[in-house]
Amino acid sequence: MFKRILRIFLIVLVLAVLVVVVGGIVGFNFLRDNGIKQYFASMKPPAATVSTTIAKPSTWTPGVEAIGTVKAVRGVDLTVETTGIVKNILFHANQKVADNAVLLQLDDAVERADLDAQKAQAALDQTSLARAIELTKRGVGSDSTLDTARAAASASASQVTKLQAVLDQKQLAAPFGGTVGIPKIDIGQYLAPGTAVVTLQDLDTMRVDFSVPEQQLPLLKIGQTVRLGFGGEDRPFAGAIRGIDPKIDSSSRLVNIRAEVANPDGKLTPGQFVQVRVELPEEQNVLTLPQTALTTSLYGDYIFVVRPAKPAEAAPAQADKPEEKPAAPAADKSADAKPSDTKPADAAKPAADAAKPAADAAKPADKAADPAKPAAEGDKPALVLSQVFVKPGRHNQGMVEIVEGLKAGDEVVTAGQNRLFNGMSVVVDNTIDPTKSANKQADRQ
């Protein structure tokens, strides 16, 4: 009986120990997980470093932007008027030629022979006409003979002119001065009328054709300044509007515009794609921001404005900082030292050795002035982000107009918005401006 009771007691004791052990393990894991959650929930993320700009009214130059195509003011693909075999090519690729310069010579042996024969016949007819006139004056010639001789001389002269024109067609001359392209024919090749020989382009002045929507037609007029560029915001070429089509295309609702641009350096090429901007009169007191400051989302366009943190938000940050002890107690400690602590042997030291503690006591006072710098930095108000939805307007040279949602004097973040969120603590560092080229900033430094 006693053994049975003892056995039951041991079983109960083992079960109790197991319950206590298991409960301790479960409780420990629960408390640990709960502590980790509270730690991460109360942990403040580090302040992010951002660059900012101050929104202020500025002068805005509005404009009408479009895509255009460059053409030469005078440009043509030269062709031959008659058949023939190429005898001589008198130009090479990219050569500048003068007006009426001969570029191509076809075989003209037959035409020259016909012309020489006709010139001889014309000379004979002219001699017959002179003889008939002389006989008529003497009264021995009839008027009909004179008329026949005069008609024959006139017909011969006209035939000479005709053959001379046919001979001239065997030559291809430049209708104006310009630059020729790559020859499209070879010596000895047979050419038919209309065969393209070479392109001739006058590259000194270029023509730019572009289209704008009909809503922007009232903003344009003859003589307005036009700026051109190949890409980006740089538009180094300047010109003026020379023509506005009086008719709007009913299918596209676009208006064709033509401008002329000087091309002294030859950087513009016919057929080239360009970005066109027609400059309009300047506007004053327009709030603008760099385009990098604006973020577009499904909910609208927004910016991040840097503002001082409220006292309730700044208090936890200040509470986390350890209090700096003043350096004065170090000096007081040395001053409060008891005379009894000084050993008799120390009293016998020279007076020169007694001056060392005085010099050493001055060092803590100097060190005490250094903590004043962090203290001054700590006096700066904490900064947080405020997400503000805005209404953007026009764009120009990397800047965007803000129509609504922005006030003059607001400090706006210009880069790094993807890792920011509303209410986040930030630190402003404008050493590097991300809106400008890194190469330019390196040159300035």
Side-chain angles (χ1 to χ4, degrees), residues 70-345:
V70 178
K71 298 180 181 178
V73 172
R74 295 185 299 177
V76 65
D77 292 336
L78 299 179
T79 60
V80 293
E81 300 180 68
T82 184
T83 60
I85 297 176
V86 178
K87 183 179 180 180
N88 195 8
I89 299 176
L90 304 176
F91 67 93
H92 57 81
N94 298 103
Q95 178 184 352
K96 290 186 177 181
V97 298
D99 187 14
N100 291 326
V102 178
L103 305 178
L104 180 69
Q105 178 66 57
L106 299 179
D107 186 10
D108 58 353
V110 176
E111 286 74 11
R112 285 187 179 277
D114 293 342
L115 179 61
D116 292 341
Q118 188 59 42
K119 285 182 177 180
Q121 182 63 39
L124 178 60
D125 292 341
Q126 192 67 30
T127 303
S128 299
L129 176 60
R131 186 180 298 111
I133 293 174
E134 184 65 25
L135 292 176
T136 303
K137 289 181 179 179
R138 294 178 182 180
V140 293
S142 62
D143 292 339
S144 62
T145 303
L146 177 62
D147 293 339
T148 302
R150 185 179 284 112
S154 179
S156 297
S158 299
Q159 193 66 21
V160 169
T161 304
K162 176 183 176 181
L163 292 178
Q164 183 64 50
V166 172
L167 182 63
D168 292 340
Q169 289 181 348
K170 294 295 182 176
Q171 291 182 342
L172 180 62
F176 52 85
T179 303
V180 294
I182 300 174
K184 300 179 182 180
I185 45 88
D186 295 317
I187 295 179
Q189 180 180 348
Y190 176 79
L191 302 182
T195 303
V197 175
V198 70
T199 182
L200 176 63
Q201 305 289 330
D202 183 4
L203 303 180
D204 293 335
T205 304
M206 306 304 291
R207 177 184 300 159
V208 181
D209 293 334
F210 59 97
S211 301
V212 298
E214 61 178 343
Q215 294 85 353
Q216 297 177 341
L217 179 59
L219 303 176
L220 306 181
K221 60 182 180 180
I222 303 295
Q224 279 183 315
T225 302
V226 175
R227 303 201 68 87
L228 310 178
F230 303 124
E233 300 296 335
D234 188 19
R235 295 182 174 88
F237 305 99
I241 294 179
R242 290 291 179 259
I244 300 176
D245 201 334
K247 177 184 177 182
I248 298 175
D249 189 353
S250 58
S251 59
S252 62
R253 304 300 177 186
L254 298 176
V255 183
N256 295 324
I257 310 295
R258 174 167 290 178
E260 289 185 2
V261 182
N263 187 34
D265 298 332
K267 294 182 178 180
L268 293 175
T269 306
Q272 194 171 24
F273 158 88
V274 290
Q275 293 182 347
V276 184
R277 176 180 172 83
V278 182
E279 295 185 351
L280 301 178
E282 292 184 349
E283 299 179 6
Q284 303 294 330
N285 299 325
V286 178
L287 285 177
T288 60
L289 289 176
Q291 292 184 5
T292 56
L294 187 66
T295 303
T296 302
S297 67
L298 297 177
Y299 305 100
D301 300 311
Y302 63 89
I303 59 175
F304 283 108
V305 179
V306 178
R307 293 173 179 169
K310 296 180 181 179
E313 299 176 359
Q318 295 178 359
D320 293 341
K321 294 183 179 180
E323 295 184 359
E324 297 175 355
K325 296 182 180 180
D332 296 342
K333 209 169 190 180
S334 61
D336 294 342
K338 295 182 181 180
S340 59
D341 296 338
T342 307
K343 295 181 180 180

